[in-house]
Amino acid sequence: MPACCTMRAKASDMHSKDCVKVAVRVRPFNKRERDAGSRSIVSMVSSSITIQDPREPQSRRSFCFDYAYWSHSGFARDRGGLYVPEEPGGRYADQDSVFQDLGEGILENALQGYNATLLAYGQTGSGKSYSMVGYGPNKGLVPKLCDRLFQAIRENQDTRQCQVFFSMLEIYNEQVVDLLSRGSRNPGGLRVREEQQRGFYVEGLRTVPCDSVEQLMEQGTRTRTTAATHMNANSSRSHMLIILQLKQIFSKESITKQSNINLVDLAGSERQRSSGSEADRLKEGTAINLSLTTLGNVISSLADVAVGKKVVHIPYRDSVLTKLLQSALGGNSRTVMIATLSPADICYEESLSTLRYAERAKRIQNRAVVNESPTERLVKELKAENARLLQRLSRLGQEGRRANDETTLTCLSFLSLCQERRMMQMHPYILNINEDAQLSGVVKLFIQEGNSVSLFILIQQRHAVFRNEQRRVTLTPLAGSKVIVNGNAVSQTTELQHLDRLILGSNCTYLFIGYPSERGGDDWSRYDYDYFQSELAAAEGIHLGESSAGSSQTDPSLLAVFYDYIKLMPMVAEANQMSQELNKGVEFKLEIKNLALSDSKGHDLEKEIAVRVTCMGRKQVWMWSKAKFVNRKFLMEEAYQQHQAEKSGDNVNQGDKDPFWDPVEPLLLGTAHLWLQSLAFRIPLEEQLEVLGSEGTEEAILQAQLVPCTFTGLPLGEDDILIDPSELLGRRLDFQLVLEQCCGLRWIREARNRGVQIGLFDSSQPLYSPAVWHNVNPLLDHRVHFASLHTSQRLLDYLQSSAVVLELWGLQGEDAQIWMHRYGMNDCPRLAMFFYSIICKHTSLCLYNSVCVLQPVDSAEPSCSVRVLQQDLEELKSVNTSLRKENHSLREQLNAARNGGDSVRGRSVRPSCDAEFARALKVFYHSMTSVRAQLQRLRRHRPSVRINVCLSAALVDVSVTTIRPCLNI
Ligand SMILES: Nc1ncnc2c1ncn2[C@@H]1O[C@H](COP(=O)(O)OP(=O)(O)OP(=O)(O)O)[C@@H](O)[C@H]1O
């Protein structure tokens, strides 16, 4: 039995207290998922659905819903392009079966006089629009429901008179846009008002009486596409609402029924979390999608109410969407939610979160009533409405602006559609391609012979001119405008060929369709938004390579980086455009971080996308993570819209809240590797290291040395060179890392007010050399002493196969000092101590003596000082542990030497054993002296007093008592 058929109860079969009905639908793999060789982690039996964690296959979660639709596999495409089950009765749930369960129920409810709501929830690209609106012949719930509604009205003409009113709106960034209004947009959007009887409503929203909705929906989608362009907005972040008002008059019974049907295609659910876990100064108070976040809060509160928890407040008023859906959630409405998901392993987190959301929604209880009243009231209302419409019609007629008249809109749209079809068969045209497939192909610009067409795009009044002369179509970019044809920027008049890809301005993408004679039977669908962006990326030298073509062999992490790149590319272009328009003087550039970086074994690190932000005037540079950029881009859009609304001049949002700005911070410029192998032979090494930036550029030459030495720091002589590194086993090893000079610093050459520091990288908390400023070839003269008390095999292996990764950090402006002070970067004891522990952890080396003299940490922060001390104590404890181990092994050696003296004589005991032991003890006592000194200093410390600790005694123990027994041996 097909999964979709297991719950035969219709959505209308509800009791007076109705739980929200929830359906889940799983879509087929998309191209990206197929390319990545994705695996399905979702299974369905009847109306229950199980999801498996791809990292822990034994971890599964099951959920049970009212309906579960398997639309992932088992389908075929018929001649008309309709997706149908491969075999009759197959498990694939097609659009018809979804409609039968959900749509029919909603329709029945509405005809009975109940308000009804249908919500689609899920991550971007999971199939919300496919289920709600549909694509081509695969009509979704909304058109099917409308068709059936009008059919039902016709069939019931003799018992009731009906009128249907249609509205379509979009909520983007808490602004309401009327999608049926073709006039100029209200800055700030339409207002949401509240009336006692009516509840929340959108003031001035167009409501069109209709007997078919196809053209209205096309009109709405077109407006949505252009609105997205004008607002620099991303449609998957907006919510689309269609409101159908059904008014029925039952003359015989003298009653009227009024019901509202809300059909809601929600924004992509992952957007709520898109600012990620990334730290950003402007993260607080930023809700990427306030409406979606609030919807989640409302659903959670209502779910709590349903299980008897005490809930003080349901936050309906916190967002536009929840205000408008108040009756749909916990109120007078019969509500159905369809949660859509991808079954791919790479979407596990999102799909699980969708299922959890849907499970919560299932608990919500509504109280729907039939909205019935005596006829007179409705008749009065309808008369008033008709009078109002007539008045408007005549006013618009006088103004000669019939095109905006709501009563004639349907007819005009229809005419233009007919014309449009005729034009498509006669003329070349450009067709918009949008990231949201639903909005692609809705704008067509015809280029008739003998005519020239100007395209108007954001910044510039006129952007480019298309000419059609003697059946040759050319494109001429206008001065200062950005035009890209097939991935390449053009500045001259260019002749267009059928299926050329055009990008105008920052991100307006169009496909050129030539004369019908050139068209042939080619499939245009492959020229989707990803195709445009991939072509652009390829022109910048970023592509996936041979194996990517449909094969499952592409490294998934590379694929992810590639898709991140092409996703962020248009956003970066838009950010640049906004920066230019708002006179911010900031430039954004995409970079693939870690391209040239590698770890201490020389292996390439995983690549990731970052955005380099440059303030052109002050030559300040920031590196933003993807998550931070996405967050900031959203805030930039807000600032941009605010600017558009107020036209308040340049440089809006200056200061702390400015999303284009950040306090300056040090920037990682590049890395160099200093290989440690020579130390295993106690051979000194002098190197001129090339410091490479993340894009492989040479940032500087760093002169560095590794000097094997005595524990007091005296360089070893040639006699100390070892032939066999294993001779070091069990012995002490001291060496110094000397950073002599940096030469040819590109960073300083670009702007003299900058400085640099070198960091020793072995974890996220490296140790830094002192800062040097304003000099392209600065002397560093920085020396760090390392010691291993007991050279283990692991350490030897490490020395022979690894490198110290040296990081070159760029410091900028005076503010950098502030940063370093705040974060304790300059000569901070914490970093030194971290370094010590890191070295201990990874390499069995320990920091013995650093030349760094530690500066005070901010005295205004005593708690910070205490924290530093606590960290110091932790480090000291671990040193104590290693000392005790050392002590233990020394004791064992001593016992073996004493007890087994005679028995082992003549075997392997070396005559120098006692001398060696004595030497080791000497070292030990020396260390202990340092420990005591350090301990005393720590004990004297008071948090309110400035710390002034010298790291030269880093080998410290906190507890002398614990070590005393060791001293007694
Ligand atoms: N059940 C399905 N059967 C076949 N194809 C589907 C199905 N669901 C979705 N798709 C395809 O997946 C793609 C993405 O679907 P859709 O545009 O509906 O996603 P969405 O969730 O609405 O995304 P957005 O949030 O960006 O609007 C479309 O190309 C669509 O044709």
Side-chain angles (χ1 to χ4, degrees), residues 525-543:
S525 65
R526 72 191 190 102
Y527 298 110
D528 59 4
Y529 190 76
D530 275 3
Y531 188 100
F532 277 65
Q533 301 303 334
S534 305
E535 191 169 55
L536 203 55
E540 290 177 11
I542 311 288
H543 44 81

Side-chain angles (χ1 to χ4, degrees), residues 447 465-469 472-476 493-496:
I447 310 159
V465 177
F466 292 83
R467 285 196 186 81
N468 184 349
E469 285 159 346
R472 279 177 64 237
V473 178
T474 56
L475 162 68
T476 310
T493 298
T494 307
E495 185 173 343
L496 297 179

